Amino acid sequence: MSLLNDRDFCFKRPSKGPRLTELKSSDDVQLLAKNGYYIALRVGFAFPLEEVNALPAAWVDHYTTHRFMLHDPVIRWIYANTGAIAWSGIDLPDPMRVLDQAQTFGLRYGVAVACFDGNREGQRSFGTFARSDREFERAEIDALHAYVVKLHHAKAPPTNLTKAELEALKMVKEGQRLKQIAHTLGVSEGAVKQRLKNAKTKLGAQTSAQAAAMVGEFGLI
Amino acid sequence: MSLLNDRDFCFKRPSKGPRLTELKSSDDVQLLAKNGYYIALRVGFAFPLEEVNALPAAWVDHYTTHRFMLHDPVIRWIYANTGAIAWSGIDLPDPMRVLDQAQTFGLRYGVAVACFDGNREGQRSFGTFARSDREFERAEIDALHAYVVKLHHAKAPPTNLTKAELEALKMVKEGQRLKQIAHTLGVSEGAVKQRLKNAKTKLGAQTSAQAAAMVGEFGLI
DNA sequence: AATGGACTCTCCAAAAAGGAGAGTACTAAT
DNA sequence: ATTAGTACTCTCCTTTTTGGAGAGTCCATT
């Protein structure tokens, strides 16, 4: 029996044979990228809004200590391209033999994915996924690509927050009480509450604490 | 190359000669790095906890669009070394002529700084600073180095938070109310309050919202 | 003149914060 | 083996902060 089943993956079975369609959660990804994966979301000038690092700790250690990033052909491909490709298809030099070393950590076969949605800030997202037993199939590569694109869009920062709302959230995040905030801004406490309420609605947050943390992570304040 | 040296831990200067006073704030840095600067704090596997980007918007745009990062000799130096150096002293190839292009954006003379404090996660911090009118002086380079080291230490994540405290903070950050948290954890609401109170004390936070945002930014939850 | 959006306010109920006190668990020193 | 110290956990009680409903103002657009 395949490790992939309906519950884990969401197959569709159209006319010809089983088809992998959509990865819903990190669990689904874990099943495909058995030996680890790494996703960086919304990389701007140099760094991302969020990263998911599910690579083996030993490899992360080795990679960090040797500062492989700038020499890693996978990273180089990701920075230079958009789309998805198997590691084996990347035609770039690997003078530090990063990929060979990766193999000794169980990262033998892999996929690199990069996407960009034409946003003004030039933010890009990318991921790399690995397994040791066999090469990834085309449908799997496409599914991983779609997954990263989905996360990329999900992490699009909200654009409808007003200046006043962001201002209030910033002050909440900095540990100020409503009374202080109101005083500093020269408005009523109720006004501050209303701003926070609007912000929470727009962000889908349950509490001001959550809303403040969210805008912080989006880099909006 | 030594990863660790005295200068990484404390900034002292011998008594003789004019001494550049310590850089206290980003304003001080702005005065020195007239044409812009960039600081990345606590870069782990690949990305930092925080970045300060005060480079000219046009350059950031150009740099991002052309994905210079992997080709930038300054970045390559920073990843490979510890200490501080004038751009002009970096002896690395620049096939994409990143530095030449930087000049056309007012970034003519510059300094690169990198530091590492021997922490377990291998986190490093670095910065690069630019001006167009003249080369940086040795004392200025040292002061900028000290500034980055200071920020690096300031961003050291607290290590004294208990599992219970982090757990509570995480749930606050996710928008849960104390009642919910208490129920989920199977403890009294008072217990949750106490955990949050301890966390706030340890973090020097005024409110739970602030504490939750802080641990989030430290990457502790 | 009407509509919609952002902002403001008040009042009341619900939630969170803060203080004091006390029990438990584990460590290090006597 | 006892003791002291430290860190963590919990309860109870009071005060302060917050959240939520409803309504009003101001302003730009239609």
Side-chain angles (χ1 to χ4, degrees):
Chain A
M1 171 56 197
S2 151
L3 279 171
L4 317 179
N5 60 45
D6 273 337
R7 192 180 158 277
D8 296 316
F9 269 99
C10 190
F11 272 112
K12 262 189 205 161
R13 288 183 179 80
S15 39
K16 313 182 174 186
R19 181 163 115 57
L20 184 63
T21 52
E22 189 184 354
L23 303 173
K24 299 270 188 194
S25 71
S26 58
D27 291 344
D28 296 342
V29 174
Q30 192 72 62
L31 284 172
L32 218 49
K34 289 181 182 182
N35 292 267
Y37 64 93
Y38 174 82
I39 300 173
L41 297 171
R42 301 217 157 238
V43 180
F45 170 61
F47 297 117
L49 239 42
E50 185 175 330
E51 53 178 344
V52 181
N53 191 346
L55 292 168
W59 171 242
V60 171
D61 232 52
H62 188 70
Y63 194 99
T64 307
T65 324
H66 292 82
R67 297 171 211 147
F68 279 160
M69 193 176 149
L70 297 182
H71 307 283
D72 185 344
V74 172
I75 296 289
R76 301 184 80 83
W77 185 89
I78 274 168
Y79 263 78
N81 298 275
T82 299
I85 192 172
W87 288 357
S88 55
I90 296 176
D91 186 25
L92 290 168
D94 184 8
M96 309 257 311
R97 309 191 69 72
V98 176
L99 290 182
D100 290 345
Q101 291 179 64
Q103 284 201 19
T104 69
F105 289 84
L107 313 173
R108 183 176 182 90
Y109 302 102
V111 175
V113 165
C115 77
F116 173 62
D117 62 8
N119 63 82
R120 242 188 24 164
E121 294 89 1
Q123 292 172 328
R124 296 164 56 79
S125 292
F126 42 75
T128 184
F129 306 86
R131 65 188 302 158
S132 59
D133 55 347
R134 62 165 175 80
E135 191 62 81
F136 283 84
E137 291 165 12
R138 190 66 235 173
E140 292 169 346
I141 296 175
D142 289 343
L144 289 167
H145 185 197
Y147 183 72
V148 171
V149 170
K150 191 178 79 179
L151 290 183
H152 179 78
H153 287 132
K155 288 292 163 187
T159 55
N160 55 347
L161 289 165
T162 68
K163 208 170 167 180
E165 286 156 1
L166 285 171
E167 194 174 39
L169 287 172
K170 181 174 184 335
M171 295 170 100
V172 167
K173 192 174 97 110
E174 286 165 356
Q176 296 198 55
R177 303 260 129 114
L178 299 198
K179 195 172 289 183
Q180 291 177 268
I181 298 173
H183 179 256
T184 309
L185 298 178
V187 300
S188 78
E189 201 176 317
V192 177
K193 286 181 197 175
Q194 186 60 39
R195 293 177 185 185
L196 290 174
K197 187 184 165 184
N198 288 340
K200 280 180 282 185
T201 305
K202 289 178 184 174
L203 290 163
Q206 316 272 307
T207 62
S208 295
Q210 186 187 10
M214 285 174 77
V215 290
E217 295 193 346
F218 277 132
L220 295 176
I221 53 176
Chain B
M1 174 201 63
S2 156
L3 280 176
L4 304 175
N5 62 45
D6 279 338
R7 225 186 284 147
D8 281 322
F9 294 98
C10 66
F11 175 59
K12 277 182 195 154
R13 288 189 62 75
S15 46
K16 58 159 115 179
R19 180 185 174 296
L20 186 66
T21 51
E22 191 189 347
L23 302 174
K24 300 268 188 194
S25 69
S26 57
D27 290 344
D28 295 344
V29 174
Q30 192 73 63
L31 283 175
L32 221 47
K34 289 181 182 180
N35 292 267
Y37 64 92
Y38 174 82
I39 299 173
L41 296 170
R42 301 219 159 236
V43 180
F45 170 61
F47 297 115
L49 239 41
E50 186 174 328
E51 53 178 343
V52 182
N53 191 347
L55 293 168
W59 172 241
V60 171
D61 231 50
H62 189 68
Y63 195 98
T64 308
T65 323
H66 292 81
R67 298 170 211 147
F68 279 160
M69 192 176 151
L70 299 181
H71 308 283
D72 185 345
V74 172
I75 296 289
R76 302 184 78 84
W77 186 90
I78 275 168
Y79 263 80
N81 298 275
T82 300
I85 192 172
W87 289 356
S88 54
I90 296 176
D91 186 25
L92 290 168
D94 184 9
M96 309 251 318
R97 311 191 70 72
V98 176
L99 290 182
D100 290 345
Q101 291 179 63
Q103 284 201 20
T104 69
F105 289 84
L107 314 173
R108 183 177 182 91
Y109 302 102
V111 176
V113 164
C115 78
F116 173 64
D117 61 9
N119 63 80
R120 236 187 31 159
E121 294 88 359
Q123 291 171 328
R124 297 165 56 79
S125 292
F126 41 74
T128 186
F129 307 85
R131 65 188 300 158
S132 58
D133 54 347
R134 61 165 174 80
E135 192 63 82
F136 283 85
E137 291 165 14
R138 187 68 233 173
E140 291 169 346
I141 295 176
D142 289 343
L144 289 168
H145 184 194
Y147 183 72
V148 171
V149 170
K150 192 177 79 179
L151 290 183
H152 179 78
H153 287 134
K155 287 290 161 186
T159 56
N160 55 350
L161 288 166
T162 68
K163 208 171 165 180
E165 287 157 1
L166 285 172
E167 194 173 38
L169 287 172
K170 180 174 177 354
M171 294 170 98
V172 167
K173 192 174 97 107
E174 287 167 355
Q176 295 198 56
R177 306 242 113 108
L178 299 199
K179 196 171 289 182
Q180 293 176 267
I181 298 173
H183 179 255
T184 308
L185 297 177
V187 301
S188 79
E189 202 177 316
V192 177
K193 285 181 195 174
Q194 187 60 43
R195 292 176 186 185
L196 291 173
K197 188 182 167 185
N198 287 340
K200 279 182 281 184
T201 305
K202 290 178 184 175
L203 290 163
Q206 315 275 307
T207 61
S208 294
Q210 186 187 11
M214 285 174 78
V215 289
E217 294 193 348
F218 278 130
L220 295 177
I221 55 176

